Amino acid sequence: MLSTLPLLNGRIALDRALENDDNILAQLGYPRQRQEFVSFLSAHKAEIEAIVSFHLCVKKCRASDVQTWLTGSYNVCIPVYISPPSSVRSVLVRIPLPYKVGEAQRPGNVDEKLRCEVASYLWIQEHCPDVPIPHLFGFGFPNGQSFTSPEKTPLFVRSIWCVRRTLLPWLRFPTPSRYISRRRQDTLRTGYMIISRVSQGKILSDTWETFRHDKTHRSNLFHGLARIILSLNKTPLAAIGSLTFNDQGFTALTNRPLTLQLQSLENEGISTAISRRFTYSAQMAALTMMRAVLHHFSPRESRHGPFVFTLTDLHQSNIFVNDDWHITSIIDLEWSCFLPIQMQCPPYWLSGRAIDQMEPGPHLETFHQLVLEYLEAFEQETEVLENGSFWYFHAINSPKGLCRVFTDHVQRLFCPEHCEMRIFDQVVAPYWCVDASRVIERKIEEGERYKNQLREAFGAEVILPKA
């Protein structure tokens, strides 16, 4: 039996793997999949350089060595250095990691993710030019279709594009994007975005623990976030969903609300049964009651809008700040959606803890004061914690933490006594659906199969189910 097995970050023993709420079985495959994908990209460095030369109209550029590539949770960014006389000295080629977004389980997820992220960039460029994001030089999709910013295209191509963008609105047709469609032989077939490097500031997470208790730094950060979020809220749309970009060069709100949680579930083989072309106007007891109390947190009259542009993955590692915590750039826009305005809650990471680790007590009181301080930057009413919407909508976005958050925060609003009564769960759970007990039995059986698969991966003895 193997004592430990490798993950992307460190190693894990069987006992810890069996106790962990995450799908460790899926994570055990990531090191091999990462190595295979990085090897593939490394073998295609010449193609990556050709892509950058094509989009930026430069004669010579050089992709950096593999050791300097920036590998995140869902993308790899490859630095490419451009030779003079270009005014742009370096860019990042951003490529999705197919083994992290469910491409094998649901083909097309990489394409969907790219199209939604590109559309988010274009929407912010047009509607919120005051929001600091990296410059997008060009992009390409797995089907070989690519688009380039007009200033990097030949004069004749740019002239035709300009005429088209002028005539189509005059003829009452939608206006195409400001990026020009261009075809080229693409042997990479991964899809990509070419973006500028953030040259000012550093990632907020680098200095978070150092300055998060300093009120001046927090004030600068909170006011910066307020300006960004209020700017994004200025142009609501008529449906819940994600923007997407099609091969004809148009952006439209026609994609399902693509969130990190959604593609993570699909990456683990869990069917979400949500069509890509569909938009939407911890215990079974907790799920049942969350459904029952929805009306309290989302009034019926607000269910037809406004739906506002929301950065659903806005955390410390996606925010660049200067030494005083003034925001210099926001990165990673792939999980942005148009959602009900009630779901725009203060970020839970202000607490320094996970969403399901904020139990009632002194720590929660301190967090409450931070939220009030955060909301002062918005000049809004301070009811987001009092009416429970903060906890309700964060619970919805945290499948693993939902039960704990419901019990500690949502349930207490209605009947604190029930938080300590196990009979509550026993009585309410059967009302989740018809034959709810069978659903529970099936989930327990799936859990045992998963644990045996883990044991097999570690070379341990499999435990057979009782007859």
Side-chain angles (χ1 to χ4, degrees):
M1 173 179 168
L2 299 173
S3 58
T4 61
L5 287 175
L7 300 174
L8 286 177
N9 297 300
R11 301 179 70 87
I12 191 168
L14 176 58
D15 56 346
R16 285 185 53 217
L18 292 170
E19 294 172 358
N20 201 300
D21 289 336
D22 290 328
N23 188 337
I24 300 299
L25 195 63
Q27 293 183 21
L28 289 175
Y30 292 161
R32 174 186 57 80
Q33 292 169 317
R34 178 175 65 178
Q35 182 58 45
E36 290 175 352
F37 191 60
V38 169
S39 296
F40 168 81
L41 294 178
S42 180
H44 287 77
K45 283 177 65 175
E47 173 64 14
I48 293 170
E49 293 167 349
I51 286 172
V52 172
S53 295
F54 173 76
H55 281 285
L56 274 74
C57 287
V58 297
K59 292 183 178 180
K60 188 176 181 181
C61 60
R62 177 181 62 84
S64 68
D65 295 333
V66 172
Q67 293 79 6
T68 64
W69 293 4
L70 310 173
T71 304
S73 298
Y74 298 93
N75 306 274
V76 58
C77 288
I78 302 173
V80 177
Y81 299 96
I82 301 168
S83 301
S86 171
S87 59
V88 180
R89 302 311 302 270
S90 67
V91 295
L92 294 176
V93 178
R94 179 176 165 92
I95 299 174
L97 301 176
Y99 59 89
K100 293 295 291 292
V101 299
E103 181 66 20
Q105 293 76 11
R106 189 170 184 180
N109 271 14
V110 165
D111 184 72
E112 178 187 21
K113 175 183 177 295
L114 267 173
R115 291 179 185 274
C116 290
E117 184 168 15
V118 164
S120 294
Y121 266 89
L122 302 189
W123 192 88
I124 291 177
Q125 286 177 359
E126 181 176 354
H127 297 280
C128 311
D130 56 323
V131 174
I133 59 174
H135 180 72
L136 179 62
F137 291 100
F139 48 91
F141 301 122
N143 66 359
Q145 183 70 49
S146 62
F147 292 81
T148 302
S149 56
E151 61 270 18
K152 299 296 182 181
T153 57
L155 177 61
F156 177 72
V157 174
R158 189 161 65 247
S159 300
I160 294 177
W161 164 83
C162 186
V163 171
R164 185 167 177 256
R165 270 181 61 91
T166 302
L167 287 180
L168 285 178
W170 186 74
L171 295 172
R172 299 185 181 277
F173 288 103
T175 304
S177 82
R178 61 175 300 273
Y179 286 76
I180 299 176
S181 174
R182 302 178 72 192
R183 277 282 182 179
R184 65 175 298 276
Q185 186 66 32
D186 180 8
T187 59
L188 198 60
R189 295 293 180 177
T190 60
Y192 59 86
M193 297 170 59
I194 303 174
I195 59 176
S196 62
R197 306 186 73 167
V198 178
S199 59
Q200 296 182 332
K202 60 182 65 174
I203 296 174
L204 175 61
S205 56
D206 288 349
T207 57
W208 177 250
E209 290 301 327
T210 304
F211 294 116
R212 73 185 182 95
H213 299 293
D214 180 78
K215 190 167 185 178
T216 300
H217 282 78
R218 288 201 310 267
S219 177
N220 292 338
L221 175 66
F222 292 170
H223 280 82
L225 288 173
R227 286 190 290 271
I228 288 170
I229 293 172
L230 291 173
S231 178
L232 296 174
N233 288 178
K234 286 188 303 185
T235 311
L237 295 185
I240 295 173
S242 290
L243 294 165
T244 188
F245 187 91
N246 64 25
D247 285 343
Q248 289 70 48
F250 294 92
T251 297
L253 185 64
T254 57
N255 203 88
R256 60 180 176 165
L258 187 65
T259 63
L260 182 155
Q261 291 84 0
L262 191 65
Q263 285 203 328
S264 294
L265 288 172
E266 292 175 346
N267 192 51
E268 296 176 3
I270 300 171
S271 175
T272 59
I274 301 177
S275 167
R276 291 194 179 102
R277 295 302 177 189
F278 205 80
T279 54
Y280 297 82
S281 305
Q283 293 173 342
M284 205 168 284
L287 290 170
T288 303
M289 294 311 298
M290 288 285 285
R291 185 166 59 187
V293 300
L294 171 62
H295 69 279
H296 178 78
F297 305 104
S298 181
R300 186 173 299 276
E301 60 270 17
S302 70
R303 295 181 193 176
H304 299 288
F307 304 121
V308 295
F309 191 93
T310 305
L311 300 168
T312 68
D313 192 34
L314 186 64
H315 56 77
Q316 301 103 310
S317 295
N318 286 342
I319 302 171
F320 277 75
V321 295
N322 64 13
D323 291 341
D324 298 319
W325 277 19
H326 292 289
I327 296 175
T328 60
S329 186
I330 300 292
I331 63 172
D332 292 3
L333 308 179
E334 69 260 54
W335 313 118
S336 302
C337 307
F338 277 84
L339 297 174
I341 197 168
Q342 291 88 350
M343 296 188 71
Q344 291 209 333
C345 300
Y348 71 83
W349 45 260
L350 298 179
S351 69
R353 294 191 179 189
I355 186 64
D356 59 346
Q357 295 178 351
M358 288 188 278
E359 63 277 357
H363 184 85
L364 184 61
E365 294 172 6
T366 301
F367 177 60
H368 188 284
Q369 294 304 313
L370 284 174
V371 169
L372 296 182
E373 185 181 322
Y374 176 87
L375 290 176
E376 285 178 6
F378 288 83
E379 299 181 350
Q380 293 178 347
E381 299 293 333
T382 58
E383 63 177 5
V384 67
L385 281 183
E386 281 74 9
N387 74 7
S389 62
F390 171 88
W391 302 110
Y392 185 88
F393 289 114
H394 271 303
I396 287 177
N397 286 318
S398 177
K400 290 194 302 180
L402 184 147
C403 183
R404 178 74 179 273
V405 175
F406 172 79
T407 302
D408 284 350
H409 304 289
V410 178
Q411 190 175 23
R412 292 181 186 278
L413 292 172
F414 297 91
C415 188
E417 295 81 7
H418 283 174
C419 298
E420 312 300 329
M421 297 170 61
R422 290 185 57 83
I423 194 173
F424 174 84
D425 297 338
Q426 298 168 4
V427 170
V428 173
Y431 291 92
W432 171 252
C433 65
V434 175
D435 201 14
S437 60
R438 177 56 193 147
V439 175
I440 295 175
E441 292 172 2
R442 189 167 63 248
K443 292 300 179 184
I444 292 174
E445 293 169 359
E446 291 174 358
E448 289 304 317
R449 286 198 297 271
Y450 163 76
K451 289 181 179 179
N452 275 332
Q453 289 173 325
L454 268 180
R455 293 185 182 101
E456 289 178 352
F458 279 84
E461 183 180 356
V462 171
I463 298 177
L464 298 176
K466 295 179 181 179

